[in-house]
Amino acid sequence: MMGIVLFKIEYMKKQSSVGIFKRYLSTGCEVLLVKRKQEDRTYPDAWCLPGGKRENNEKLSDTLKREVFEEVGLQVEHYRIFDVKENDRFNISFYEIFSYSGNVVLNESELNSFWWFNFNELPETLLPVTKEVLNDMKSFYQF
């Protein structure tokens, strides 16, 4: 008897780590977003969370620290996994950042700009997966 076996090959998907930086002000909670370049192939000029793709055999937490530092110059110190989203191409680990050091220094060769947005006043041009995870976080914390 012959049959077809279907299974996911997770290791074939690209792995990414993304940081969710929050700060609390008297006006509410804000999140750090970065704006993609206009010439990006996918989602040009969209706002997203800082992070990026895993390098060979790199731990995802190391990807988080490396990519965040490369994109916005911040040193991630304390964090926890908040969510994992996947599609046909990517597994994306979203980390909630509790403490970090440094000041935002944008990597202008990769990104257009950055801004701290109030959770209740997010831009309309959000990367779809960013919008999804930030809505999950808003619901979880009831911002």
Side-chain angles (χ1 to χ4, degrees):
M1 176 178 232
M2 294 182 61
I4 298 174
V5 177
L6 300 175
F7 58 97
K8 286 185 179 179
I9 305 176
E10 296 294 336
Y11 64 88
M12 296 295 285
K13 292 183 180 182
K14 294 179 182 171
Q15 303 283 321
S16 296
S17 292
V18 176
I20 305 171
F21 290 84
K22 301 183 315 272
R23 66 180 185 185
Y24 295 91
L25 304 173
S26 60
T27 55
C29 185
E30 295 184 336
V31 62
L32 176 65
L33 296 177
V34 293
K35 191 171 189 182
R36 297 164 63 99
K37 291 275 193 185
Q38 186 174 15
E39 56 271 11
D40 282 355
R41 282 189 346 228
T42 55
Y43 301 104
D45 273 340
W47 289 94
C48 59
L49 296 159
K53 294 179 192 80
R54 178 179 165 214
E55 293 181 353
N56 293 340
N57 299 321
E58 184 178 43
K59 293 192 310 189
L60 286 171
S61 58
D62 291 338
T63 302
L64 168 72
K65 294 173 186 176
R66 178 184 52 76
E67 282 288 342
V68 164
F69 185 76
E70 286 176 7
E71 289 191 356
V72 293
L74 297 174
Q75 296 275 348
V76 173
E77 295 169 352
H78 296 95
Y79 55 89
R80 74 171 174 146
I81 191 78
F82 177 77
D83 201 354
V84 177
K85 303 285 185 188
E86 69 175 274
N87 61 29
D88 58 336
R89 293 181 50 224
F90 289 97
N91 284 336
I92 306 171
S93 300
F94 290 88
Y95 290 87
E96 184 175 12
I97 311 301
F98 295 108
S99 66
Y100 59 91
S101 59
N103 295 310
V104 177
V105 178
L106 188 71
N107 180 342
E108 294 178 358
S109 67
E110 289 188 25
L111 300 163
N112 208 14
S113 60
F114 76 92
W115 195 255
W116 289 92
F117 287 94
N118 185 294
F119 263 89
N120 295 312
E121 298 170 3
L122 296 172
E124 291 190 23
T125 56
L126 279 174
L127 201 65
V129 71
T130 298
K131 183 176 186 175
E132 183 181 350
V133 79
L134 291 180
N135 283 334
D136 292 348
M137 184 168 270
K138 280 174 64 173
S139 295
F140 183 78
Y141 284 112
Q142 299 182 354
F143 292 133

